[in-house]
Amino acid sequence: AQSVSQHNHHVILSEAASLELGCNYSYGGTVNLFWYVQYPGQHLQLLLKYFSGDPLVKGIKGFEAEFIKSKFSFNLRKPSVQWSDTAEYFCAVNANGFQKLVFGTGTRLLVSP
Amino acid sequence: DTEVTQTPKHLVMGMTNKKSLKCEQHMGHRAMYWYKQKAKKPPELMFVYSYEKLSINESVPSRFSPECPNSSLLNLHLHALQPEDSALYLCASSPSGQGGSNQPQHFGDGTRLSIL
């Protein structure tokens, strides 16, 4: 069965620090990969997605992620975080051709001013 | 603001009550989803409708009954729920049905359900 692992459950950073959140998935076929963000009291929003092509994808608000097929990873990065990036971040995967989206356990990011 | 609207935002009900959660989108999406999210956990898929037909049921207990009256609306009928069913229920939509798995899902704000 598909599974998604996010190793960092809680991350605390100061403003301007760099961010990298890990995401690994277990599935041998072609996958679609997503990062969603949930700001406090708000709905899940798409940050970025990877389907095919350039493995380095850029999303909104300065986020980017790199798909490394050999490592089954899709890590999220941001060079310099802001206080407004405080939120919960979910990695999600589905197998190509299937609608079932499987979420990782989430990472709570707290950015201190 | 999200383009997927869920009502009510909060619902408290007893174990013998019957209530319904509603979800509406006007983006022309043809796939709609129900997820359940417990506190500090990721969303878990419950049901998927594609072109108004149920395409995925993730072995959800029959006390949850989904309905898709038309392409813009998705309901979740609740009956005889248990306290462990207390959770945030999320609705989502995406542009197309089966085969459109690379299209991102758009989520509503959710209905926070409490079972007494």
Side-chain angles (χ1 to χ4, degrees), chain A residues 99-111:
Chain A
Q99 291 170 295
K100 180 177 178 179
L101 195 59
V102 177
F103 285 84
T105 49
T107 297
R108 286 181 182 268
L109 172 65
L110 175 64
V111 180

Side-chain angles (χ1 to χ4, degrees), chain A residues 32 34 36 38 42-44 46 49 51 90 94-101 103-105 108, chain B residues 2 31 33 35 37 40 42-43 45 48 50 55 58 96-98 101-102 104-105 107-109:
Chain A
N32 304 304
F34 307 84
Y36 282 86
Q38 192 168 29
Q42 295 189 27
H43 60 278
L44 279 162
L46 182 71
K49 59 186 185 291
F51 304 144
F90 290 98
N94 66 9
N96 199 29
F98 294 90
Q99 291 170 295
K100 180 177 178 179
L101 195 59
F103 285 84
T105 49
R108 286 181 182 268
Chain B
T2 178
Y33 311 76
Y35 288 84
Q37 186 177 20
K40 299 184 181 181
L45 183 67
V48 181
S50 292
S55 60
E58 286 287 303
S96 69
Q98 195 73 24
S101 59
N102 60 2
Q105 296 176 22
F107 286 83
D109 288 331

